[in-house]
Amino acid sequence: MDLLGLITGLPAGATQIPSAGPTVRIIEHQAHAPGHAALLIEECGVLVAGDMLSDILMPFLDLQAANPIEDYLAALRLFESVADDVVAVVPGHGSVGGAGQLRARIRQDRAYVEALYDGGVPDDVRVGPSAPLDWLPEVHQWQLQRLAERRQRK
């Protein structure tokens, strides 16, 4: 509790973390959760992706958002826009990847999200019978069900 209150939140719309150290660009998006962000440490080309771009977890959409699929796809476009500047991607879950892995993970996540949009089954090992974690197929089914319910309400 001694540290409570020592961290000051950044103002809305901040695009960099104020620091005397390296330039850290904030890439805010609404894909995973409201106000979610990734951080790009520009000098060394490291993208800290938060809860996105995992090699072991499929995208977890913010199903409370008005447009969860569109939000996720928009965030992936943001990551694509900085991909030329990235030499390593650090997800919150899974392994660190190089520049080629960043692009591959963007493609894989886009394919997954587009399959959710279509209500189909993605060709994605993260949710198939050989999923790296046995509970991922259930989460995938839950996301499909929630999105189908949303479509029915419209």
Side-chain angles (χ1 to χ4, degrees):
M1 294 300 291
D2 293 341
L3 300 177
L4 186 65
L6 295 179
I7 296 175
T8 302
L10 295 173
T15 59
Q16 289 186 352
I17 294 180
S19 164
T23 302
V24 179
R25 187 178 351 160
I26 301 167
I27 304 171
E28 185 176 356
H29 56 80
Q30 303 304 316
H32 177 68
H36 197 263
L39 303 174
L40 177 59
I41 306 168
E42 293 183 340
E43 282 81 3
C44 57
V46 173
L47 177 66
V48 181
D51 284 328
M52 295 184 70
L53 302 175
S54 173
D55 58 335
I56 62 168
L57 300 178
M58 76 286 198
F60 285 50
L61 280 64
D62 176 8
L63 295 173
Q64 301 299 314
N67 298 300
I69 289 182
E70 293 83 358
D71 289 347
Y72 215 98
L73 293 173
L76 293 176
R77 287 190 296 274
L78 285 172
F79 294 143
E80 279 179 323
S81 75
V82 299
D84 288 342
D85 301 327
V86 174
V87 297
V89 59
V90 181
H93 307 275
S95 63
V96 172
Q101 277 295 306
L102 169 62
R103 291 183 189 283
R105 292 176 189 189
I106 291 169
R107 282 191 304 274
Q108 185 178 28
D109 285 356
R110 178 177 289 112
Y112 176 83
V113 172
E114 288 173 348
L116 283 180
Y117 177 79
D118 295 335
V121 178
D123 181 21
D124 191 320
V125 297
R126 300 174 295 181
V127 298
S130 61
L133 300 167
D134 61 358
W135 50 269
L136 291 176
E138 292 175 29
V139 173
H140 165 68
Q141 290 301 319
W142 178 81
Q143 289 193 119
L144 270 176
Q145 183 179 0
R146 296 288 92 65
L147 289 166
E149 291 169 359
R150 289 172 66 104
R151 281 191 288 274
Q152 288 175 350
R153 286 193 302 261
K154 289 185 178 184

